[in-house]
Amino acid sequence: MSGWDRIRSSRSQSTATVQLGRIQPQAPGHRSVYCNDREANAIAKFPGNSVSTTKYNVLTFLPKGLFEQFRRVANLYFLMISILSSTPISPVSPITNVAPLSIVLFISLVKEAFEDWKRFQNDLAINNTLVDVLQGSKWESVPWKKLQVGDIIRVKQDGIFPADLLFLASTNADGVCYIETSNLDGETNLKIRKALEKTWDYLTPEKTTEFAGEVQCEQPNNSLYTFTGNLIIEKQTLPVSPNQLLLRGCSLRNTEYIVGAVIYTGHETKVMMNTMNVPSKRSTLERKLDKLILALFATLFVMCLVGAIGSGIFINREYYYLGLDGKVEDRQFDPSNRFVVMILTMFTLITLFSTIIPISLYVSIEGIKFVQCMKFINQDLNMYHVETNTPALARTSNLNEELGQVEYIFTDKTGTLTRNLMEFFKCSIGGEVYGTGITEIERGSAQRSGVQLEDHKLANAAHEKGFNFEDVRLMLGAWRNEPNPDMCKEFFRCLAICHTVLPEGEESPEKIVYQAASPDEAALVTAANNFGFFFYRRTPTMIYVRESHAEKMGKVSDFQYEVLNVLEFNSTRKRQSVVCRYPDDRLVLYCKGADSVIYERLGEGNDDLKKVTREHLEQFGSAGLRTLCLAYKNLSADAYESWNEKFINAKSSLRDREKKLDEVAELIEQDLILIGATAIEDKLQEGVPDCIETLSRAGIKIWVLTGDKMETAINIAYACSLINNEMKQFIINSDTDEIREVEDKGDPVETARFIENSVKTQLKNCLEEAQKVLYTYSGPKLALVIDGKCLMYALDPSLRGMLLNLSMNCSSVVCCRVSPLQKAQVTSLVKKGAKKITLSIGDGANDVSMIQAAHVGVGISGLEGMQAVMASDFAIAQFRFLTDLLLVHGRWSYIRISKVVLYFFYKNFTFTLTQLWFTFQDGFSGQRFYDDWYQAFYNVFFTSLPVLMLGLFDKDVSASLSKKYPQLYMEGLRNVYFNWRMVAVYAFFSVYQSLIFYYFIITSGSSPQTSSGKMFGLWDISTMAFTCVVTTVNVRLLLSCNIITRWHHISVWGSILAWFIFIFLYSGITTKYDRQENVFWSIYILMSTSFFYLAILVVPLVALAGDFLYQGVQTWFYPYDYQIIQEMHRDEPDDNRNSRLLEVESRLTPEQARTYAIAQLPQQRSKHTGFAFDSPGYESFFAAQVGVYAPQKAWDVARRASVKRSRSKKPQKS
């Protein structure tokens, strides 16, 4: 009976007998999986295959969602106020605070629910995907969620693996299959997997039913590229490696179907364990906002304390008209216990003044940031890469304004500053350099030195993707005439055999496509092809190479090389080796890797070749080329068999398999014979030097953190304009004669001590010299270059401060030969040590830690997979797009969010202060000045929409001017727009305006004003004051805007209109069950008097006169930088519109192109500020001026007539 049959039968039985059989307790270090036997696996209680990525479920949504909301101090504060307002001591109705809080919470929870619902729908679709599972002796389709550990499944071509599988059999020959891991790491290169030969036959359901293996493997972990296990079958123990593991999320390619056994399911699969929780990041401005909220709390406490003390002093029986001359039941007004009066009044005033904290601030800012990301950043055509059809992507909306205050950028080199499109450019074979090309860096270096280089390009030079080599001495078999033809042959065979590349397509040099794990490998195999050693087919055990001119000139022969072992590349080994058997049974080990690693493993002799090749490597590095050394070793059959036995034992080990394999590899990778070196060019990305220069002018310091050699890194820095000859360079390097001499003694403790002292001395000397330079009046800029070995000691706590001080004084810093961990450590050093806002940008998995360590992480959508993008906050396709991301969107977002926060503070403080002034006149009794519904809707309806328009559309200068004058960005670095001085300015005008509102209305309304000779009552006065407040704070927003669009007018005047509509309806009805009778008919009484119209006209004008005067003085005598730029370019059109259309028009449909062309037309200019703003009513007129068709609109006729009249008045040019 199979496992499935047991499950079915168990449903019909009330009890089930469990046979332990061969079940053993699970060891903590590994797990045992019994294939095709569900009952045996049931004891271990492995998790199911259902996956959930949601944050909530039906039961936890409300409690968990509310907990998330009340983690915010402002929401928790208003919850407390809502509770207080429900007590008898509250002067206001609970609805005053409950209604706004409920609306804010409802909006936030709906947003959370919508996002989680999308996750749930995605999970549902994935969990219900069907897969073929072996049930009995046939395949049956079963949803993914019903899979269990040990099941045998079949996955067809282009299907996705539903769990982590042990690969058993394939329809391809030799038990191989091809997989694509793009869902896992973004890499689209196909990878080969090979089943164990013992399981190749388990392909049909009849045969697979007989499979009863036991898999002993490691416990679930998140390591994507390692796996340790054994398969026990028919009393044989076979080692299982990552080559037999098919991970969930990968796709099957070029294979009809495969059969596999489920090893890990659900959340224990490697891909699910890799779903890392990206560190929660909050912007610096948001943290400063918390301090402002705390300051408001303190202000609220002081206001309530003053009121409480005042109530304790004021309450007295002598005020007979208050009815306090007997026993007072209300303890809040009992003169005999003034302390209790003060305490109760304190709580009363807290509820009364609760509006000082803007409850809708957070939800408004979230909405503004979300729209900024979705509509502005993600859809910016200036950050759209046409070649790869890749737009910018904001993966979070929390850090928009942080982009406007970045002071330090940490960048990777390969794929970030460079294109990561590798081309075979030069090589050194047997001590001879081949390749006549000139790199961009060589050309730049020569230009700085004043030397003119002649580029001798051959008319018929071979140039294809991955191969840009020019030298007739090696092409078309000419290498046979070189002094070292045998060495050339070994060089080409090493390129053609020592790799893990997969060929695809037709087996011809012109049509074949190479799938490689890295662009470097593809370039090397392409080079072998161009040199006449054409690699065209591979199986798990054989490599097929078509060699031209190998035996004699003009002869083409096909050779089969048996691949016996592959010692794979990793970041520790920094090399790759292949042991192969020639057709004539010759055993050869080919090895390629970093020069430092290969030179350590070379045999004795050939010192001249080693010396010359090292000089060539330095020459290649100085030209900015990526280098590898090639070597080989002839093996005897006995030596190989002895070593191979150790290799097999290491592969079978369940513990420390990777370490043991590295140790075994060391045994055979010794006494190598040097062949030569390769040099691959990775060109700079388009626009990188200009981008870096622009960012430097903006006050941003850029550090390069790379794993390349120092010479390469320095030359890339020169090419990028990070370093120039005018700079004073400090170089801290471990490659000195003294350090090499100590290292040669072989004492690691003494070596470490010596290097640490050397680094300390160098840091001290550099710091002293830097301080001398900085004290001079016009000293040169400084640059620091440090290698990874010295950096390791410099990051020690005892030297870290010295390194930071030196780095802070340098304009550019280059760290070379650094590890991913060191990249993150350097980023954290500046972030935490210098308290500066940092941004890290990279494109590879080795940049993830650096990206997550910075305040803002930016991923490049490059050729090294998507791990950097997945870990980032923002993703762009090219480094040059940082200019738009920071100088345009970052700067605009910072200014907009700063204004939004300050405006919220201003309007709420102004509103609350009017209530405070009334408190001084009502005997500190806690009497409310405004109706409850006025207070409830003030933030939610009457003043909320205009501030959203400010946060979305305000723009001081255009995008082109922001990039033309990058110095404008420095205002964000100095935090000009959100500091305590600005808070004080807004607070001053809140006090001024609130006094105008309150005392002007109170004083003017103290005499009879109605037609019947009556005076205005409290609710008439408060309604008039509220009308003035709503009108003023909305119109005040227009003074804050640099650009006024129709949306600003709609929001401002619409909000004022909404207040009048509300008060017309609200004061026109009344019921006996609430306090609505207070304002019954008040607006109609007010509007029957001329005083009301005079008040709503004069009071806002007087209140805003101070703002107008302040802005005038500030603009004339203390202008911001952007105001100067505004005046300089007030009559110039935006000069980047046409270029943007040209860039993307090839990607647009005709209708989209027409719509986009209309959107780019010059717009009407605001007479308020003189700066461009959107006025789409005149599209057809401007469209005619530039030849773009747009539908005519009626009002364009009048516009055209007015323009013609203005043109006729202009003087004619002679």
Side-chain angles (χ1 to χ4, degrees):
M1 183 182 294
S2 71
W4 284 91
D5 293 329
R6 293 191 187 97
I7 297 298
R8 290 196 188 95
S9 64
S10 66
R11 294 174 182 169
S12 59
Q13 300 172 4
S14 58
T15 60
T17 302
V18 178
Q19 299 290 337
L20 290 177
R22 62 181 185 279
I23 298 294
Q24 300 294 328
Q26 295 290 300
H30 72 277
R31 63 162 51 181
S32 294
V33 175
Y34 303 99
C35 300
N36 212 12
D37 193 343
R38 281 198 168 187
E39 187 179 73
N41 291 318
I43 304 299
K45 296 182 180 180
F46 296 121
N49 200 44
S50 179
V51 166
S52 174
T53 59
T54 58
K55 290 174 63 177
Y56 313 102
N57 57 39
V58 176
L59 296 177
T60 63
F61 174 70
L62 269 180
K64 192 173 179 181
L66 289 174
F67 174 75
E68 290 291 330
Q69 294 304 315
F70 287 122
R71 289 174 65 184
R72 289 177 170 172
V73 178
N75 288 347
L76 192 61
Y77 163 77
F78 268 94
L79 176 63
M80 181 189 71
I81 295 298
S82 299
I83 295 172
L84 277 177
S85 63
S86 303
T87 62
I89 64 172
S90 172
V92 297
S93 169
I95 197 67
T96 304
N97 295 297
V98 173
L101 179 62
S102 301
I103 292 172
V104 168
L105 291 178
F106 177 75
I107 294 173
S108 299
L109 289 176
V110 166
K111 171 178 170 287
E112 288 286 317
F114 176 71
E115 291 178 349
D116 218 45
W117 176 255
K118 289 194 294 184
R119 297 189 197 102
F120 173 73
Q121 293 289 94
N122 186 52
D123 292 342
L124 204 62
I126 290 174
N127 289 331
N128 287 308
T129 305
L130 299 179
V131 66
D132 292 340
V133 181
L134 184 66
Q135 297 186 18
S137 59
K138 60 180 180 180
W139 300 112
E140 290 191 13
S141 295
V142 172
W144 281 17
K145 63 184 178 183
K146 293 187 177 180
L147 281 183
Q148 294 186 20
V149 172
D151 286 349
I152 307 296
I153 69 171
R154 177 178 69 174
V155 179
K156 299 178 182 178
Q157 181 167 336
D158 297 327
I160 298 176
F161 303 129
D164 290 350
L165 311 175
L166 173 64
F167 181 23
L168 299 178
S170 163
T171 54
N172 288 342
D174 298 325
V176 300
C177 72
Y178 300 94
I179 65 170
E180 182 182 294
T181 61
S182 58
N183 289 339
L184 210 62
D185 56 16
E187 296 182 7
T188 57
N189 307 307
L190 295 186
K191 297 173 178 59
I192 192 170
R193 294 291 182 267
K194 181 185 178 183
L196 297 172
E197 190 171 351
K198 191 75 175 178
T199 63
W200 287 359
D201 297 334
Y202 296 107
L203 200 57
T204 63
E206 296 79 12
K207 181 67 176 175
T208 308
T209 306
E210 304 172 4
F211 181 69
E214 177 187 346
V215 180
Q216 293 181 348
C217 59
E218 61 191 11
Q219 292 290 356
N221 58 69
N222 63 355
S223 177
L224 294 174
Y225 307 109
T226 61
F227 178 72
T228 304
N230 288 327
L231 172 63
I232 303 173
I233 181 172
E234 297 177 2
K235 298 182 179 180
Q236 282 186 306
T237 300
L238 305 174
V240 179
S241 71
N243 279 329
Q244 287 82 48
L245 191 66
L246 306 176
L247 299 182
R248 176 185 174 119
C250 298
S251 305
L252 184 65
R253 297 283 186 260
N254 299 350
T255 308
E256 185 180 346
Y257 69 86
I258 62 98
V259 175
V262 177
I263 303 297
Y264 303 121
T265 51
H267 288 277
E268 288 189 344
T269 57
K270 288 182 179 289
V271 65
M272 292 305 297
M273 296 190 78
N274 251 281
T275 52
M276 51 192 172
N277 295 322
V278 177
S280 178
K281 296 181 179 180
R282 297 181 68 212
S283 69
T284 305
L285 190 145
E286 192 172 342
R287 289 193 292 271
K288 291 177 180 175
L289 172 59
D290 289 344
K291 295 180 180 178
L292 177 60
I293 296 293
L294 292 175
L296 290 177
F297 280 143
T299 304
L300 173 64
F301 179 78
V302 171
M303 290 166 58
C304 295
L305 183 63
V306 170
I309 295 173
S311 68
I313 297 173
F314 178 83
I315 201 75
N316 201 311
R317 296 186 190 277
E318 69 182 38
Y319 301 115
Y320 63 91
Y321 47 83
L322 296 178
L324 304 178
D325 51 345
K327 184 177 181 181
V328 181
E329 295 183 2
D330 192 343
R331 299 184 65 188
Q332 185 174 353
F333 303 104
D334 186 359
S336 61
N337 197 337
R338 295 177 184 271
F339 181 75
V340 173
V341 171
M342 292 171 60
I343 296 297
L344 293 178
T345 302
M346 184 84 171
F347 285 108
T348 298
L349 294 179
I350 286 176
T351 60
L352 192 62
F353 299 152
S354 62
T355 51
I356 194 173
I357 309 293
I359 187 172
S360 57
L361 173 60
Y362 285 107
V363 70
S364 299
I365 289 178
E366 281 186 0
I368 290 169
K369 289 182 178 181
F370 180 77
V371 175
Q372 285 175 349
C373 288
M374 298 300 296
K375 295 298 181 183
F376 300 155
I377 295 178
N378 291 1
Q379 298 184 14
D380 186 352
L381 292 170
N382 278 333
M383 294 193 292
Y384 170 73
H385 194 232
V386 180
E387 288 77 5
T388 58
N389 191 26
T390 306
L393 175 64
R395 292 173 48 81
T396 178
S397 60
N398 295 338
L399 303 171
N400 296 4
E401 68 275 17
E402 197 85 328
L403 293 170
Q405 294 183 280
V406 171
E407 192 165 350
Y408 285 86
I409 293 177
F410 302 94
T411 175
D412 178 38
K413 183 187 77 68
T414 304
T416 305
L417 298 177
T418 59
R419 301 181 186 181
N420 204 18
L421 293 174
M422 310 303 178
E423 293 182 333
F424 189 93
F425 199 73
K426 290 184 179 184
C427 63
S428 170
I429 305 175
E432 188 70 30
V433 172
Y434 297 94
T436 60
I438 300 174
T439 66
E440 294 177 352
I441 293 175
E442 284 179 307
R443 194 172 285 110
S445 300
Q447 186 176 357
R448 287 191 299 271
S449 303
V451 179
Q452 187 67 32
L453 291 179
E454 295 184 11
D455 197 354
H456 302 286
K457 273 195 172 292
L458 303 176
N460 58 347
H463 189 194
E464 62 178 274
K465 182 180 178 182
F467 190 74
N468 185 19
F469 181 82
E470 299 173 10
D471 198 327
V472 293
R473 293 178 293 170
L474 293 186
M475 306 304 295
L476 303 175
W479 55 269
R480 293 188 62 85
N481 300 321
E482 287 299 294
N484 48 5
D486 292 335
M487 195 70 83
C488 290
K489 191 190 301 183
E490 293 292 352
F491 183 89
F492 300 146
R493 280 180 177 161
C494 184
L495 295 183
I497 296 173
C498 187
H499 58 76
T500 56
V501 175
L502 296 175
E504 274 190 338
E506 296 184 24
E507 295 179 353
S508 66
E510 296 79 18
K511 297 184 179 180
I512 200 165
V513 176
Y514 291 126
Q515 297 286 351
S518 70
D520 299 78
E521 277 220 312
L524 294 175
V525 176
T526 302
N529 180 9
N530 281 273
F531 291 135
F533 288 69
F534 171 44
F535 161 64
Y536 63 90
R537 189 191 310 163
R538 97 176 294 150
T539 68
T541 58
M542 301 294 291
I543 278 183
Y544 297 82
V545 181
R546 185 168 300 148
E547 299 183 359
S548 303
H549 322 292
E551 303 302 323
K552 64 179 182 179
M553 197 67 179
K555 183 178 179 181
V556 179
S557 306
D558 286 356
F559 288 90
Q560 301 177 17
Y561 297 96
E562 183 182 359
V563 178
L564 301 175
N565 307 91
V566 177
L567 307 179
E568 297 183 356
F569 175 90
N570 61 44
S571 57
T572 305
R573 285 169 40 78
K574 296 183 180 179
R575 63 190 182 280
Q576 179 187 43
S577 297
V578 170
V579 180
C580 66
R581 190 193 305 275
Y582 274 48
D584 60 2
D585 285 339
R586 176 190 171 199
L587 292 173
V588 179
L589 177 139
Y590 286 113
C591 183
K592 66 181 181 186
D595 55 344
S596 58
V597 174
I598 299 296
Y599 265 74
E600 291 175 357
R601 288 158 178 79
L602 294 179
E604 298 294 332
N606 289 329
D607 293 337
D608 292 339
L609 175 60
K610 295 175 188 176
K611 181 179 179 182
V612 172
T613 305
R614 186 179 287 278
E615 292 173 357
H616 294 166
L617 287 166
E618 293 176 0
Q619 178 184 329
F620 295 154
S622 299
L625 300 173
R626 297 161 62 90
T627 58
L628 283 177
C629 279
L630 274 56
Y632 78 101
K633 177 183 180 180
N634 291 311
L635 303 173
S636 66
D638 293 340
Y640 170 73
E641 291 299 334
S642 174
W643 173 85
N644 193 42
E645 186 177 340
K646 299 175 184 175
F647 182 75
I648 292 172
N649 291 334
K651 284 187 69 175
S652 304
S653 175
L654 272 178
R655 293 184 180 275
D656 300 325
R657 178 179 294 178
E658 296 299 321
K659 180 182 178 182
K660 292 178 180 178
L661 283 174
D662 288 351
E663 291 173 353
V664 173
E666 286 283 352
L667 299 176
I668 198 171
E669 292 172 331
Q670 297 292 338
D671 298 324
L672 303 178
I673 301 172
L674 182 63
I675 304 173
T678 62
I680 293 177
E681 182 180 23
D682 186 11
K683 293 186 177 180
L684 286 175
Q685 284 186 14
E686 179 187 350
V688 166
D690 293 338
C691 173
I692 288 178
E693 183 185 2
T694 301
L695 294 176
S696 298
R697 289 167 56 203
I700 300 174
K701 297 180 176 65
I702 301 174
W703 293 21
V704 177
L705 312 179
T706 178
D708 283 334
K709 293 193 296 292
M710 180 170 286
E711 296 80 7
T712 306
I714 290 176
N715 281 286
I716 286 290
Y718 266 107
C720 295
S721 303
L722 271 175
I723 298 178
N724 55 54
N725 289 332
E726 286 73 36
M727 285 184 172
K728 182 167 185 58
Q729 299 177 23
F730 300 119
I731 298 180
I732 301 177
N733 190 1
S734 62
D735 190 17
T736 64
D737 294 335
E738 294 81 5
I739 293 177
R740 277 197 296 267
E741 184 178 337
V742 175
E743 287 177 335
D744 290 341
K745 296 178 181 178
D747 186 349
V749 176
E750 176 62 23
T751 301
R753 187 193 62 79
F754 186 85
I755 296 177
E756 183 177 4
N757 291 334
S758 174
V759 171
K760 182 177 182 179
T761 303
Q762 291 183 70
L763 279 175
K764 186 177 180 180
N765 294 337
C766 291
L767 187 57
E768 290 175 355
E769 197 168 347
Q771 290 173 346
K772 291 178 183 178
V773 172
L774 292 172
Y775 288 144
T776 60
Y777 179 72
S778 59
K781 290 185 177 180
L782 307 178
L784 171 65
V785 182
I786 184 170
D787 69 358
K789 189 177 291 186
C790 292
L791 185 63
M792 178 176 66
Y793 294 98
L795 288 171
D796 186 85
S798 61
L799 300 179
R800 192 181 300 164
M802 202 181 299
L803 174 65
L804 183 63
N805 288 337
L806 176 61
S807 303
M808 292 295 100
N809 292 320
C810 294
S811 301
S812 301
V813 176
V814 177
C815 302
C816 49
R817 293 290 197 189
V818 292
S819 66
L821 176 61
Q822 286 178 321
K823 291 183 179 182
Q825 289 174 332
V826 171
T827 306
S828 298
L829 177 68
V830 177
K831 176 183 176 181
K832 297 176 181 178
K835 304 294 183 184
K836 302 293 185 182
I837 298 179
T838 59
L839 179 148
S840 290
I841 179 170
D843 73 318
N846 61 330
D847 301 317
V848 168
S849 55
M850 174 178 72
I851 287 173
Q852 292 185 341
H855 289 93
V856 182
V858 178
I860 297 283
S861 306
L863 302 178
E864 291 192 18
M866 298 292 288
Q867 287 195 10
V869 170
M870 290 162 61
S872 67
D873 305 303
F874 299 89
I876 54 179
Q878 296 276 289
F879 183 88
R880 69 177 187 273
F881 294 156
L882 271 184
T883 305
D884 285 274
L885 187 64
L886 299 183
L887 304 191
V888 179
H889 294 286
R891 184 174 167 277
W892 284 349
S893 295
Y894 164 68
I895 295 175
R896 290 165 177 169
I897 298 299
S898 298
K899 286 188 174 182
V900 165
V901 172
L902 290 172
Y903 182 77
F904 261 102
F905 163 72
Y906 151 76
K907 70 185 183 68
N908 279 65
F909 198 42
T910 302
F911 177 74
T912 306
L913 285 176
T914 56
Q915 177 70 61
L916 176 66
W917 308 141
F918 180 66
T919 301
F920 283 100
Q921 285 198 293
D922 66 11
F924 307 99
S925 62
Q927 166 65 37
R928 58 200 172 98
F929 184 50
Y930 298 113
D931 182 80
D932 294 342
W933 287 103
Y934 296 1
Q935 187 168 329
F937 289 161
Y938 176 75
N939 276 310
V940 179
F941 294 116
F942 303 144
T943 60
S944 60
L945 194 57
V947 75
L948 293 179
M949 298 304 106
L950 174 68
L952 291 175
F953 300 118
D954 192 51
K955 182 171 65 174
D956 54 356
V957 295
S958 66
S960 59
L961 291 178
S962 295
K963 291 182 285 188
K964 184 177 181 180
Y965 299 100
Q967 293 84 353
L968 290 172
Y969 189 82
M970 293 183 184
E971 292 179 328
L973 302 183
R974 298 193 302 267
N975 197 25
V976 169
Y977 300 105
F978 189 71
N979 52 46
W980 292 113
R981 188 185 70 83
M982 293 298 296
V983 171
V985 170
Y986 274 81
F988 171 79
F989 285 110
S990 291
V991 174
Y992 163 74
Q993 291 180 7
S994 63
L995 289 171
I996 295 294
F997 297 145
Y998 182 74
Y999 286 104
F1000 192 98
I1001 298 297
I1002 287 290
T1003 304
S1004 303
S1006 59
S1007 57
Q1009 298 290 345
T1010 66
S1011 57
S1012 60
K1014 294 182 178 180
M1015 294 175 59
F1016 288 141
L1018 168 63
W1019 304 110
D1020 301 323
I1021 292 293
S1022 68
T1023 299
M1024 191 185 308
F1026 191 82
T1027 303
C1028 292
V1029 171
V1030 170
T1031 303
T1032 304
V1033 298
N1034 279 300
V1035 175
R1036 166 68 177 78
L1037 181 132
L1038 296 178
L1039 291 177
S1040 301
C1041 295
N1042 288 293
I1043 180 173
I1044 301 177
T1045 69
R1046 68 178 186 275
W1047 301 111
H1048 290 81
H1049 288 294
I1050 291 172
S1051 63
V1052 169
W1053 306 117
S1055 297
I1056 296 173
L1057 181 62
W1059 154 247
F1060 279 103
I1061 293 174
F1062 166 79
I1063 192 59
F1064 285 155
L1065 296 176
Y1066 181 60
S1067 65
I1069 57 174
T1070 185
T1071 64
K1072 61 181 179 179
Y1073 299 109
D1074 55 31
R1075 298 189 251 186
Q1076 209 164 337
E1077 72 275 3
N1078 292 334
V1079 295
F1080 178 65
W1081 217 247
S1082 63
I1083 189 65
Y1084 301 99
I1085 294 174
L1086 290 172
M1087 295 185 68
S1088 66
T1089 67
S1090 58
F1091 175 75
F1092 173 74
Y1093 299 101
L1094 182 65
I1096 62 173
L1097 178 65
V1098 174
V1099 171
L1101 287 177
V1102 176
L1104 293 175
D1107 291 89
F1108 190 79
L1109 180 63
Y1110 170 79
Q1111 289 192 13
V1113 172
Q1114 178 268 315
T1115 303
W1116 275 99
F1117 298 103
Y1118 310 100
Y1120 290 114
D1121 294 342
Y1122 76 85
Q1123 292 172 326
I1124 298 172
I1125 303 301
Q1126 284 175 341
E1127 291 302 318
M1128 290 169 58
H1129 298 273
R1130 61 183 302 165
D1131 297 320
E1132 296 180 12
D1134 193 349
D1135 57 3
N1136 70 336
R1137 296 178 180 269
N1138 293 333
S1139 61
R1140 293 174 68 199
L1141 176 60
L1142 292 174
E1143 181 184 4
V1144 300
E1145 62 183 359
S1146 60
R1147 293 281 178 176
L1148 303 179
T1149 64
E1151 179 63 24
Q1152 290 172 330
R1154 188 184 68 81
T1155 304
Y1156 177 68
I1158 292 173
Q1160 306 311 305
L1161 297 174
Q1163 306 294 329
Q1164 171 78 356
R1165 297 191 175 277
S1166 167
K1167 294 180 180 178
H1168 171 61
T1169 58
F1171 317 121
F1173 76 103
D1174 297 332
S1175 182
Y1178 305 109
E1179 292 137 354
S1180 56
F1181 168 76
F1182 287 113
Q1185 310 302 310
V1186 294
V1188 178
Y1189 169 75
Q1192 292 289 322
K1193 296 182 180 178
W1195 51 80
D1196 282 351
V1197 178
R1199 173 64 181 161
R1200 187 179 298 109
S1202 65
V1203 171
K1204 286 182 177 178
R1205 284 197 301 271
S1206 64
R1207 283 181 177 175
S1208 64
K1209 294 178 182 179
K1210 291 181 180 179
Q1212 298 293 324
K1213 293 182 180 180
S1214 56

